[in-house]
Amino acid sequence: MSIFRKKRLRIRIYGETALRKTAAEIAEIDDKIKTLAEVMINTMRSADGVGLAAPQVGESVRMCVLDVPSRRDASALSQGEMSLLPKMPIVLVNPEVLPTTKELVTTEEGCLSVPKIYAPVTRPARIMLTARTLTGELLHVECAGLLSKAVQHEVDHLNGILFPDKLEADEMSKIAGELKKLRKTRGR
Ligand code: ZN
C-alpha cells in the first residue's frame, strides 16, 4: 500500500539516518505533496506536536507543518505571528530563515524525533521567514516568539540538524546517556 493512503506515518527517531539527510527542494506542489502535507498534519496532531518536518516521516523534501498555539499576551506580536497563528495548522514549502536581529534567546526545546528529552537551545530571537504555502502563495514575514523558534527548529530538520546538535557541552552531557539509549533501541 502506498504510504500516501495512510492516515499517519511513523516518526523517525534519533539515530535513524532519514533524519540526517539534506532534504530536496520541492519543484512543484503536486497532489503527492498535498497528500503528504495532510498526512503530516494528522501525524503531528496525534503525537501532540507543534511542528513536524518531512524528513521526520522519512520523506526527504523541504516541507514542514506547524501547529503553534496562539499567545495569550497578544501585545507585541510580530507580523508573522499576527498573520500565521490564526491559520494554524499551516504548511510551509521550501521554507528559508534569516535572522533579523543579533539578539539570542534560550528556551527549552523538545522534538517528536527525540521523545521525552528536553534541553535549552539558543537561537536568534527574530527571523525573516520566506516560504510557499500549499496553494503556492509566497510568504515573507518576520517571526518572533514560539513561532520563530518552531520555524527555525523545522528548517534545521530539512538540513539534517537535530536540536541536541546545538547544545552547549554541559547541557549535552546531561542528556548524552538518554540519547545513547534512544540510538540503541530505536535508531538504525
Ligand atoms: Zn523536531
Side-chain angles (χ1 to χ4, degrees):
M1 188 170 88
S2 156
I3 59 160
F4 299 109
R5 298 232 177 114
K6 292 185 183 172
K7 289 216 169 86
R8 273 176 248 154
L9 297 168
R10 183 176 69 84
I11 296 175
R12 306 308 194 259
I13 301 299
Y14 190 85
E16 292 192 69
T17 53
L19 294 169
R20 294 306 191 175
K21 291 183 191 157
T22 299
E25 286 276 320
I26 293 173
E28 191 197 342
I29 303 169
D30 56 13
D31 285 350
K32 247 187 163 178
I33 289 294
K34 287 179 187 167
T35 308
L36 175 62
E38 196 178 305
V39 182
M40 281 172 60
I41 288 172
N42 291 340
T43 306
M44 168 181 67
R45 290 201 143 167
S46 53
D48 235 355
V50 298
L52 185 71
Q56 291 181 275
V57 292
E59 295 294 319
S60 195
V61 291
R62 302 190 80 81
M63 178 165 69
C64 64
V65 296
L66 288 171
D67 195 9
V68 175
S70 295
R71 259 163 59 176
R72 262 187 224 161
D73 155 33
S75 54
L77 285 184
S78 59
Q79 194 199 350
E81 289 169 289
M82 274 192 285
S83 63
L84 298 178
L85 291 181
K87 294 183 190 157
M88 296 288 164
I90 60 164
V91 179
L92 301 177
V93 176
N94 298 331
E96 284 174 40
V97 297
L98 267 181
T100 55
T101 173
K102 288 199 172 120
E103 186 197 337
L104 299 172
V105 282
T106 304
T107 48
E108 193 104 309
E109 277 187 39
C111 178
L112 294 176
S113 294
V114 191
K116 295 184 183 135
I117 298 177
Y118 301 88
V121 179
T122 302
R123 299 184 182 276
R126 302 171 79 88
I127 50 118
M128 183 59 81
L129 163 68
T130 307
R132 295 267 170 200
T133 68
L134 219 44
T135 54
E137 183 199 342
L138 183 68
L139 292 176
H140 186 66
V141 279
E142 191 180 40
C143 303
L146 178 57
L147 179 62
S148 157
K149 170 171 118 162
V151 168
Q152 292 180 68
H153 178 115
E154 299 313 326
V155 171
D156 277 350
H157 274 300
L158 305 181
N159 296 320
I161 298 165
L162 299 170
F163 83 80
D165 306 344
K166 306 185 87 83
L167 299 179
E168 303 288 339
D170 60 327
E171 291 297 340
M172 184 59 185
S173 67
K174 285 184 200 165
I175 64 164
E178 288 170 90
L179 288 176
K180 201 174 167 190
K181 256 188 248 165
L182 269 188
R183 260 201 311 265
K184 261 193 187 160
T185 53
R186 305 289 300 276
R188 61 203 77 170

